[in-house]
Amino acid sequence: MSTTSITGRPSRVSRSAEPGARRAAGRPRGAWSRRAPLLPALVFMIVVTQLPFVGTLVISFMRWNALDPGNRGFGGLSNYTAAFEDPTLRSSIETTALLTAAVVLVSLLLGLVLALLLDRRFRGRGIVRTMLITPFLVVPAASALLWKHAIYNASYGLLNGTLTWLWSLFGSSHAPQPDWLSTTPLLAVEASLIWQWTPFMMLILLAGLQSRPMDVVEAARVDGASTWQVFRYLTFPHLRRYLELASLLGSIYVVQNFDAVFTLTSGGLGTANLPYAVYRTFYQGHDYGQASAEGVLVVICTILLATLALRTVSSLFREESL
């Protein structure tokens, strides 16, 4: 609809403004029609993830111990102060850092070696790749039980059975039968997690290897570059972002690991990490307020790692789009 001027002629301003007004009127309806199907998923995500965290955050500022029901109320930052002053929690933080660093670095190195091997063409490569991925598909609790009983058991485990067989080759029947979970508890937990997370690192690095510009690699080989020079000057710089991404994602998951520690050692012998410390405070100490504060600290550490991972992913996508 257009307006007319005093002379009876249609106004130019109103005619030119009419299509813009129609577009402006149509934008909200189009935006709402695109976003409306996402609202149920958004509401579900908020209810499932954010509301429990808000409840945990509120409880972390309260005095709430089931063993002392009469002393319940607002405690301010007392739970956080007690968490930072607790030597057991500080020890669990150190154990978490050591466990995460060892598992991520070793699994990253092994994953790089396996990715370089699988990047070559050979008969049965698909079967080998499937077999190497299998440990990552095992349920974490089942993986820990497998290592505890089938590998580490002092009576019938694979490790002690191998020692018995090796000693029998030399005519001895007195092979050492160490209790691996008691003598090297932290190393036992690390080995089980490395076995589980190496395939994850391998998949990410293999994807990085297969995204290399092969024309540059072929040109370097034609110019006389050796295999080591190709890896050092072409492959490794190309894999830098993928190495960062794999290490950050692995750190996020290993920091939160609970199954291996709980199943293998029950947090004893210096293997209690931060998630197990939260479990012990909640279920053994029945201190819901301090356990919530410790849980918030775990979430903060995870968010920091996740932020670095998201920045790495975004920078990787930017480089791929150039």
Side-chain angles (χ1 to χ4, degrees), residues 140-277:
S143 172
L145 288 172
L146 173 67
W147 279 81
K148 182 177 183 179
H149 295 288
I151 297 178
Y152 290 141
N153 191 277
S155 301
Y156 52 82
L158 178 63
L159 292 179
N160 286 352
T162 304
L163 292 177
T164 302
W165 175 73
L166 289 175
W167 257 250
S168 66
L169 294 178
F170 298 95
S172 175
S173 59
H174 301 287
Q177 300 289 291
D179 188 353
W180 300 97
L181 293 177
S182 299
T183 55
T184 56
L186 188 59
L187 184 61
V189 175
E190 291 171 353
S192 66
L193 290 176
I194 289 170
W195 176 79
Q196 188 176 12
W197 284 100
T198 296
F200 176 78
M201 305 296 185
M202 180 195 70
L203 287 175
I204 294 179
L205 297 179
L206 184 59
L209 285 174
Q210 295 181 348
S211 66
R212 288 178 302 171
M214 296 306 298
D215 54 344
V216 179
V217 175
E218 294 298 331
R221 295 187 185 278
V222 170
D223 290 339
S226 63
T227 303
W228 168 249
Q229 289 174 330
V230 170
F231 173 77
R232 179 180 178 183
Y233 296 107
L234 295 178
T235 303
F236 190 77
H238 176 76
L239 288 179
R240 183 177 64 87
R241 292 292 184 186
Y242 294 90
L243 290 167
E244 293 176 359
L245 176 62
S247 61
L248 287 172
L249 291 178
S251 299
I252 291 173
Y253 289 109
V254 176
V255 162
Q256 303 178 64
N257 181 269
F258 175 80
D259 306 80
V261 175
F262 178 78
T263 305
L264 291 174
T265 62
S266 297
L269 303 174
T271 60
N273 58 350
L274 198 51
Y276 188 85

Side-chain angles (χ1 to χ4, degrees), residues 52-105:
F53 177 72
V54 172
T56 303
L57 188 63
V58 172
I59 296 174
S60 68
F61 293 100
M62 296 178 60
R63 298 188 310 273
W64 189 353
N65 194 316
L67 302 178
D68 188 11
N71 185 20
R72 183 184 302 178
F74 181 74
L77 297 175
S78 59
N79 291 322
Y80 291 93
T81 303
F84 282 112
E85 293 178 353
D86 186 6
T88 305
L89 184 65
R90 288 200 298 268
S91 176
S92 66
I93 293 175
E94 295 174 0
T95 302
T96 302
L98 180 61
L99 181 67
T100 303
V103 171
V104 170
L105 290 178

